Amino acid sequence: MTTSSTPTQGNKMGYMPVPKLLFSMALPMILSMLVQALYNIVDSVFVSRITENALTAVSLAFPMQNLMISVASGTAVGINALLSRSLGAGDRKNVTLSALNGIFLELMSFVVFALIGLFGSRLFFLSQTSDPEIVSYGTQYMTIVLVCSFGMFMQFAFERLLQSTGRTFFTMITQGTGAIINIILDPILIFGFFGLPKMGVAGAAVATVIGQIIAACLALYFNLTKNTDIRLNFRGFRPNLETIKNIYKVGIPSIIMMSIGSVMTFAMNKILLMFSSTAAAVFGVYFKLQSFVFMPVFGLNNGMVPIIAFNYGARNRKRIMDTVKLSVIFAVSIMVLGFAVFQLIPDVLLSLFNASPDMLQIGVPALRTISYSFLFAGYCICVGSVFQALGNGIYSLIVSVARQLVFLVPLAYLFAKLWGLNAVWWSFPLAELVSLGTTTFFFIKIYRERIKPLG
């Protein structure tokens, strides 16, 4: 039941049929996320052609890189949720405040990570391994990625402004362009084609930041020229503490939730390095490969969140539930397809990364075992995004902590000690079952408290 006719009649998220709306909102994001996933894979494919130690170094850099992405993305989730609710309620003042303060927070986050990149990169790698080649490769890569992360933080900020107002087609262009530029530059800068110097692992990092900066510039251009719902004017800007509080009310749980993945990955790398650096490389390769399955689901979620947040602001229960049901069906279907691929051709997937016989021996059972978690993950990811859209990001945080820190890491360590490397991989599907139960519990709770009373 809609209490305000103006915002719903003037914005497609309030009146367009849900299947068509979700398709139009999510498809550009899914396509752009697939391009992003392709970039993630291609990046490591080229690095693996240097040496296996280079691939291991990039894999060990992932926890810090993921932490940076978590802060940028989590802040953007808070911006997205607050902006969409303000649009649904027709509150123009808060729309502008949300956008400007969100950009400011992303800038401050960049400064923090640039400093970490300058002064902490080598220490980060020394805390994981004493291999001088891995430390050297990793320090080069991480320093460049963190110090030059301005483009990434601005890309997240400007793209979420477009998503919040339903202009996901433009985010498909920005993300796709950035990723394609990255893919093109990777071999050129890594191997020194067209007369350019051979930069090795550093070339992969430079290609990454160039793609991010170009994508950020495009996203800013589209906001200034195509986004009539938001006015970006920093003249006389002062940080608004109430707006920042509201952004971080959703954003901080989301940041912590995604950062838990960094803690989990760091811990898993330490466990796997008890066996060999190849085992850690396999884990890194898995993360690259699974992104091709998970990224489309995240793209679906990025299209779903503003629809749910808008209709929550407009007090339309039916449209919220229709969106949730359809999103879960799509997400589970994507995950089942990914499960089938990991079960049928794990050796082919690993061969993309110039896998040695040792890597194949470790990697084939690893990919098959971990992929059982895909069968539950699609539902959990979608429902977790519903919590964020309704301003209850703390539920997603609790689910993530339970899955990754309370169960996954301790189980992996226990299995490593008792039964060896192959048993470690079973910790992933077992932990996902925990996520399934806790997610369902919290969804029933939020439905009764927040969605059902809408009418």
mmCIF file of all heavy atoms in Angstrom, residues 49-71:
data_model
loop_
_atom_site.group_PDB
_atom_site.id
_atom_site.type_symbol
_atom_site.label_atom_id
_atom_site.label_comp_id
_atom_site.label_asym_id
_atom_site.label_seq_id
_atom_site.Cartn_x
_atom_site.Cartn_y
_atom_site.Cartn_z
ATOM 1 N N ARG A 49 51.885 -16.684 -15.597
ATOM 2 C CA ARG A 49 52.885 -16.934 -16.642
ATOM 3 C C ARG A 49 54.261 -16.423 -16.245
ATOM 4 O O ARG A 49 55.254 -16.748 -16.907
ATOM 5 C CB ARG A 49 52.457 -16.270 -17.953
ATOM 6 C CG ARG A 49 51.722 -17.168 -18.949
ATOM 7 C CD ARG A 49 50.552 -17.869 -18.360
ATOM 8 N NE ARG A 49 49.872 -18.746 -19.315
ATOM 9 C CZ ARG A 49 48.795 -19.446 -19.038
ATOM 10 N NH1 ARG A 49 48.264 -19.380 -17.830
ATOM 11 N NH2 ARG A 49 48.242 -20.225 -19.940
ATOM 12 N N ILE A 50 54.352 -15.615 -15.198
ATOM 13 C CA ILE A 50 55.657 -15.148 -14.710
ATOM 14 C C ILE A 50 56.313 -16.294 -13.953
ATOM 15 O O ILE A 50 57.303 -16.870 -14.409
ATOM 16 C CB ILE A 50 55.492 -13.898 -13.821
ATOM 17 C CG1 ILE A 50 54.781 -12.775 -14.591
ATOM 18 C CG2 ILE A 50 56.858 -13.408 -13.335
ATOM 19 C CD1 ILE A 50 54.417 -11.579 -13.735
ATOM 20 N N THR A 51 55.771 -16.609 -12.785
ATOM 21 C CA THR A 51 56.182 -17.796 -12.014
ATOM 22 C C THR A 51 55.024 -18.160 -11.084
ATOM 23 O O THR A 51 54.120 -17.350 -10.861
ATOM 24 C CB THR A 51 57.436 -17.540 -11.128
ATOM 25 O OG1 THR A 51 57.098 -16.568 -10.136
ATOM 26 C CG2 THR A 51 58.620 -17.059 -11.943
ATOM 27 N N GLU A 52 55.073 -19.357 -10.513
ATOM 28 C CA GLU A 52 54.056 -19.727 -9.528
ATOM 29 C C GLU A 52 54.175 -18.853 -8.284
ATOM 30 O O GLU A 52 53.176 -18.548 -7.626
ATOM 31 C CB GLU A 52 54.186 -21.198 -9.148
ATOM 32 C CG GLU A 52 53.046 -21.702 -8.264
ATOM 33 C CD GLU A 52 53.112 -23.187 -7.971
ATOM 34 O OE1 GLU A 52 52.973 -23.978 -8.925
ATOM 35 O OE2 GLU A 52 53.300 -23.539 -6.789
ATOM 36 N N ASN A 53 55.400 -18.428 -7.956
ATOM 37 C CA ASN A 53 55.584 -17.541 -6.806
ATOM 38 C C ASN A 53 54.906 -16.185 -7.022
ATOM 39 O O ASN A 53 54.410 -15.573 -6.073
ATOM 40 C CB ASN A 53 57.070 -17.323 -6.518
ATOM 41 C CG ASN A 53 57.651 -18.421 -5.647
ATOM 42 O OD1 ASN A 53 56.920 -19.220 -5.070
ATOM 43 N ND2 ASN A 53 58.976 -18.471 -5.559
ATOM 44 N N ALA A 54 54.892 -15.718 -8.270
ATOM 45 C CA ALA A 54 54.195 -14.463 -8.569
ATOM 46 C C ALA A 54 52.699 -14.626 -8.329
ATOM 47 O O ALA A 54 52.043 -13.739 -7.762
ATOM 48 C CB ALA A 54 54.466 -14.039 -10.010
ATOM 49 N N LEU A 55 52.149 -15.765 -8.762
ATOM 50 C CA LEU A 55 50.731 -16.039 -8.524
ATOM 51 C C LEU A 55 50.449 -16.156 -7.030
ATOM 52 O O LEU A 55 49.444 -15.641 -6.531
ATOM 53 C CB LEU A 55 50.334 -17.332 -9.241
ATOM 54 C CG LEU A 55 48.883 -17.789 -9.087
ATOM 55 C CD1 LEU A 55 47.922 -16.754 -9.652
ATOM 56 C CD2 LEU A 55 48.668 -19.146 -9.773
ATOM 57 N N THR A 56 51.350 -16.805 -6.294
ATOM 58 C CA THR A 56 51.184 -16.923 -4.844
ATOM 59 C C THR A 56 51.212 -15.547 -4.189
ATOM 60 O O THR A 56 50.430 -15.267 -3.272
ATOM 61 C CB THR A 56 52.293 -17.807 -4.249
ATOM 62 O OG1 THR A 56 52.251 -19.101 -4.877
ATOM 63 C CG2 THR A 56 52.103 -17.969 -2.747
ATOM 64 N N ALA A 57 52.112 -14.675 -4.646
ATOM 65 C CA ALA A 57 52.221 -13.329 -4.070
ATOM 66 C C ALA A 57 50.927 -12.547 -4.241
ATOM 67 O O ALA A 57 50.443 -11.898 -3.306
ATOM 68 C CB ALA A 57 53.382 -12.570 -4.717
ATOM 69 N N VAL A 58 50.346 -12.610 -5.434
ATOM 70 C CA VAL A 58 49.086 -11.912 -5.679
ATOM 71 C C VAL A 58 47.976 -12.520 -4.827
ATOM 72 O O VAL A 58 47.105 -11.804 -4.311
ATOM 73 C CB VAL A 58 48.733 -11.957 -7.185
ATOM 74 C CG1 VAL A 58 47.341 -11.410 -7.437
ATOM 75 C CG2 VAL A 58 49.756 -11.170 -7.996
ATOM 76 N N SER A 59 48.018 -13.834 -4.651
ATOM 77 C CA SER A 59 47.025 -14.501 -3.800
ATOM 78 C C SER A 59 47.161 -14.048 -2.345
ATOM 79 O O SER A 59 46.154 -13.811 -1.666
ATOM 80 C CB SER A 59 47.187 -16.022 -3.885
ATOM 81 O OG SER A 59 46.980 -16.489 -5.205
ATOM 82 N N LEU A 60 48.397 -13.918 -1.862
ATOM 83 C CA LEU A 60 48.607 -13.493 -0.483
ATOM 84 C C LEU A 60 48.273 -12.022 -0.279
ATOM 85 O O LEU A 60 47.991 -11.591 0.848
ATOM 86 C CB LEU A 60 50.066 -13.753 -0.062
ATOM 87 C CG LEU A 60 50.501 -15.222 0.002
ATOM 88 C CD1 LEU A 60 51.951 -15.321 0.469
ATOM 89 C CD2 LEU A 60 49.599 -16.029 0.920
ATOM 90 N N ALA A 61 48.292 -11.239 -1.366
ATOM 91 C CA ALA A 61 47.900 -9.824 -1.278
ATOM 92 C C ALA A 61 46.399 -9.659 -1.167
ATOM 93 O O ALA A 61 45.912 -8.586 -0.759
ATOM 94 C CB ALA A 61 48.413 -9.055 -2.499
ATOM 95 N N PHE A 62 45.667 -10.710 -1.504
ATOM 96 C CA PHE A 62 44.209 -10.595 -1.581
ATOM 97 C C PHE A 62 43.547 -10.125 -0.292
ATOM 98 O O PHE A 62 42.629 -9.302 -0.343
ATOM 99 C CB PHE A 62 43.603 -11.930 -2.032
ATOM 100 C CG PHE A 62 42.108 -11.906 -2.114
ATOM 101 C CD1 PHE A 62 41.469 -11.321 -3.195
ATOM 102 C CD2 PHE A 62 41.323 -12.450 -1.103
ATOM 103 C CE1 PHE A 62 40.083 -11.285 -3.277
ATOM 104 C CE2 PHE A 62 39.948 -12.415 -1.167
ATOM 105 C CZ PHE A 62 39.327 -11.826 -2.259
ATOM 106 N N PRO A 63 43.953 -10.612 0.892
ATOM 107 C CA PRO A 63 43.264 -10.138 2.113
ATOM 108 C C PRO A 63 43.304 -8.619 2.284
ATOM 109 O O PRO A 63 42.282 -8.012 2.624
ATOM 110 C CB PRO A 63 44.018 -10.855 3.242
ATOM 111 C CG PRO A 63 44.567 -12.079 2.615
ATOM 112 C CD PRO A 63 44.915 -11.685 1.219
ATOM 113 N N MET A 64 44.460 -7.986 2.034
ATOM 114 C CA MET A 64 44.535 -6.530 2.171
ATOM 115 C C MET A 64 43.769 -5.827 1.055
ATOM 116 O O MET A 64 43.082 -4.826 1.282
ATOM 117 C CB MET A 64 45.991 -6.079 2.168
ATOM 118 C CG MET A 64 46.171 -4.573 2.367
ATOM 119 S SD MET A 64 45.438 -3.960 3.911
ATOM 120 C CE MET A 64 46.552 -4.689 5.114
ATOM 121 N N GLN A 65 43.877 -6.365 -0.145
ATOM 122 C CA GLN A 65 43.136 -5.791 -1.270
ATOM 123 C C GLN A 65 41.630 -5.910 -1.021
ATOM 124 O O GLN A 65 40.868 -4.969 -1.284
ATOM 125 C CB GLN A 65 43.526 -6.531 -2.554
ATOM 126 C CG GLN A 65 43.241 -5.764 -3.837
ATOM 127 C CD GLN A 65 43.846 -6.447 -5.054
ATOM 128 O OE1 GLN A 65 44.457 -7.519 -4.947
ATOM 129 N NE2 GLN A 65 43.683 -5.834 -6.213
ATOM 130 N N ASN A 66 41.215 -7.037 -0.488
ATOM 131 C CA ASN A 66 39.804 -7.242 -0.192
ATOM 132 C C ASN A 66 39.332 -6.330 0.934
ATOM 133 O O ASN A 66 38.187 -5.866 0.924
ATOM 134 C CB ASN A 66 39.559 -8.700 0.187
ATOM 135 C CG ASN A 66 38.092 -9.012 0.379
ATOM 136 O OD1 ASN A 66 37.308 -8.924 -0.558
ATOM 137 N ND2 ASN A 66 37.712 -9.360 1.598
ATOM 138 N N LEU A 67 40.220 -6.076 1.911
ATOM 139 C CA LEU A 67 39.874 -5.154 2.993
ATOM 140 C C LEU A 67 39.599 -3.760 2.439
ATOM 141 O O LEU A 67 38.635 -3.098 2.832
ATOM 142 C CB LEU A 67 41.005 -5.099 4.013
ATOM 143 C CG LEU A 67 40.821 -4.131 5.188
ATOM 144 C CD1 LEU A 67 39.606 -4.528 6.030
ATOM 145 C CD2 LEU A 67 42.080 -4.093 6.052
ATOM 146 N N MET A 68 40.432 -3.312 1.510
ATOM 147 C CA MET A 68 40.243 -2.011 0.887
ATOM 148 C C MET A 68 38.926 -1.961 0.104
ATOM 149 O O MET A 68 38.153 -1.005 0.221
ATOM 150 C CB MET A 68 41.414 -1.713 -0.047
ATOM 151 C CG MET A 68 41.335 -0.364 -0.757
ATOM 152 S SD MET A 68 42.807 -0.047 -1.750
ATOM 153 C CE MET A 68 42.692 -1.342 -2.998
ATOM 154 N N ILE A 69 38.663 -3.009 -0.660
ATOM 155 C CA ILE A 69 37.410 -3.079 -1.416
ATOM 156 C C ILE A 69 36.221 -3.125 -0.463
ATOM 157 O O ILE A 69 35.172 -2.534 -0.733
ATOM 158 C CB ILE A 69 37.420 -4.311 -2.348
ATOM 159 C CG1 ILE A 69 38.480 -4.133 -3.440
ATOM 160 C CG2 ILE A 69 36.045 -4.541 -2.975
ATOM 161 C CD1 ILE A 69 38.728 -5.385 -4.270
ATOM 162 N N SER A 70 36.383 -3.801 0.665
ATOM 163 C CA SER A 70 35.304 -3.898 1.653
ATOM 164 C C SER A 70 34.928 -2.530 2.197
ATOM 165 O O SER A 70 33.743 -2.215 2.350
ATOM 166 C CB SER A 70 35.722 -4.817 2.805
ATOM 167 O OG SER A 70 35.991 -6.116 2.347
ATOM 168 N N VAL A 71 35.926 -1.716 2.505
ATOM 169 C CA VAL A 71 35.654 -0.376 3.022
ATOM 170 C C VAL A 71 34.968 0.478 1.958
ATOM 171 O O VAL A 71 33.969 1.158 2.238
ATOM 172 C CB VAL A 71 36.958 0.301 3.498
ATOM 173 C CG1 VAL A 71 36.713 1.763 3.855
ATOM 174 C CG2 VAL A 71 37.531 -0.443 4.694
#
